[in-house]
């Protein structure tokens, strides 16, 4: 695999310019039942992980707070941020996949939150947003699907204000003896059939499982965050390191 022209799509090697379209196709297929599948795959733990992400963000209740949630089309993280913040909290939900965004728009309207949300269809590598315009940036279970992670991190740094915080919730490398074998068995043998049962298609979930295994380990990803310009970079592991929350500040 050559770094300049090829990349991973799950365990397959594909042309770099082809990956985004392939990822888009995965999420068009699963958009309507994406959050249900998250519940089934994680046993509901994804809710606790996202709650901790928002607790770390700690949006203020007494002053305006402008936030960007990337790859958050269904609104699951954005709704939590609006609820945790004050009346002047506003979240821009950005996703490259229109099907996911439509789910989020509908849910936001049903929750009466439309006035505190806007939805933008765009690529994390090329944000159509002003430099230094956001107080916070989150991306949950999305950055491993970005073909050029370094470009997405650079864009995150660009759009944050000085003093703004970057937070990324992503799958990690299980490091508990015994749990690692159980986790692999569950991931490769059970998740794709569950996906077929719920959505009618196992292939998107086979890709998702494989993409987790190709994502950099916490130390390597932290180094990438530092290279993008962020300071005070750290990460917090959850559930035997099944996931980690990565943090960095634009100082």
């Amino acid at each position: 695999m050559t770094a300049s022209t090829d990349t991973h799509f799950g365990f397959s090697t594909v042309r770099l310019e082809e990956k985004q379209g392939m990822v888009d196709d995965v999420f068009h297929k699963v958009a309507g039942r994406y959050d249900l599948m998250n519940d089934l795959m994680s046993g509901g733990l994804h809710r606790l992980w996202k709650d901790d992400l928002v607790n770390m963000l700690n949006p203020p209740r007494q002053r305006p707070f402008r936030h960007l949630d990337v790859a958050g089309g269904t609104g699951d993280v954005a709704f939590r941020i609006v609820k945790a913040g004050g009346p002047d909290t506003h979240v821009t939900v950005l996703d490259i996949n229109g099907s996911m965004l439509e789910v989020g728009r509908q849910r936001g309207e049903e929750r009466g939150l439309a006035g505190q949300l806007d939805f933008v269809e765009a690529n994390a590598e090329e944000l159509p947003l002003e430099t230094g315009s956001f107080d916070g940036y989150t991306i949950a279970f999305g950055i491993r699907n970005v073909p050029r992670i370094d470009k997405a991190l650079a864009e995150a740094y660009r759009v944050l204000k000085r003093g703004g915080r970057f937070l990324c919730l992503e799958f990690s490398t299980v490091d508990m003896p015994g749990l690692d074998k159980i986790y692999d068995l569950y991931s490769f043998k059970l998740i794709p059939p569950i996906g077929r049962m719920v959505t009618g298609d196992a292939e998107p979930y086979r890709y998702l499982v494989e993409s987790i295994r190709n994502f950099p380990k916490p130390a390597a990803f932290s180094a990438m965050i530092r290279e993008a310009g962020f300071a005070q970079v750290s990460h917090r592991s959850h559930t035997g390191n099944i996931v980690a929350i990565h943090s960095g500040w634009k100082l």
Side-chain angles (χ1 to χ4, degrees), residues 2 18 24 39 49 68 74 80 146 205 241:
T2 59
E18 294 174 347
D24 288 350
D39 276 330
W49 299 331
L68 176 63
T74 64
R80 285 170 164 81
V146 175
Y205 292 95
N241 210 36

Side-chain angles (χ1 to χ4, degrees), residues 64-77:
F65 186 78
R66 190 176 182 204
H67 186 79
L68 176 63
D69 183 47
V70 175
T74 64
D76 207 27
V77 171

Side-chain angles (χ1 to χ4, degrees), residues 17 64 86 91 99 153-154 196 248:
E17 63 271 19
V91 181
S99 299
L153 292 172
R196 182 186 296 112

Side-chain angles (χ1 to χ4, degrees), residues 190-240:
L190 293 181
I191 286 180
I194 292 172
R196 182 186 296 112
M197 178 181 67
V198 175
T199 70
D201 192 347
E203 287 306 309
Y205 292 95
R206 187 167 290 110
Y207 158 71
L208 291 175
V209 168
E210 292 175 357
S211 70
I212 292 167
R213 300 312 189 275
N214 285 328
F215 190 70
K217 292 185 178 180
F221 186 51
S222 291
M224 296 177 71
I225 297 170
R226 289 189 191 94
E227 288 171 9
F230 289 100
Q232 298 181 13
V233 175
S234 63
H235 74 274
R236 176 189 294 180
S237 297
H238 282 272
T239 321

